[in-house]
Amino acid sequence: MKDYKLDFQSELPVEFANEFKVELPAKTRTVFTINHDMVLQEFEDDTVICVTRDDEFLTIYSNRKFNQTIPVRSKKVVISFEE
């Protein structure tokens, strides 16, 4: 596994979400569910997202600055990146 410099992070209580939608500027979209302790997603533009889960928190790491939103009445976190 490559070593990534994941300088950006965010933390959410685990009950807030279980699904993630990632939106990249190049119209790339992906959706994944965190049902393990860690999910690592690499994208063609070298963006990396890593989500870890423990008993209390979901922690989102990335090598690029990101925004996260959770739509009302949803358990899906939307992660977006600026160009």
Side-chain angles (χ1 to χ4, degrees), residues 2-8 46 48 61-65:
K2 291 182 186 177
D3 285 333
Y4 296 105
K5 191 170 178 162
L6 304 175
D7 292 334
F8 302 96
D46 295 326
V48 178
Y61 300 94
S62 182
N63 62 338
R64 291 180 53 201
K65 188 175 181 181

Side-chain angles (χ1 to χ4, degrees), residues 11-17 34 36-37 52-59:
E11 200 171 72
L12 298 167
V14 75
E15 64 270 8
F16 274 30
I34 181 141
H36 300 289
D37 292 340
T52 61
R53 180 181 73 181
D54 63 21
D55 292 337
E56 295 181 40
F57 293 101
L58 293 168
T59 307

Side-chain angles (χ1 to χ4, degrees), residues 1 19 27 30 41-42 49 52 67 81:
M1 185 161 133
E19 191 173 37
K27 307 240 185 292
T30 190
Q41 292 279 322
E42 297 177 71
I49 293 274
T52 61
N67 297 312
F81 295 89

Side-chain angles (χ1 to χ4, degrees), residues 8-42:
F8 302 96
Q9 80 176 59
S10 175
E11 200 171 72
L12 298 167
V14 75
E15 64 270 8
F16 274 30
N18 60 2
E19 191 173 37
F20 292 82
K21 179 180 180 184
V22 180
E23 299 179 345
L24 295 167
K27 307 240 185 292
T28 301
R29 306 272 190 279
T30 190
V31 175
F32 60 90
T33 301
I34 181 141
N35 50 14
H36 300 289
D37 292 340
M38 185 180 92
V39 172
L40 179 70
Q41 292 279 322
E42 297 177 71

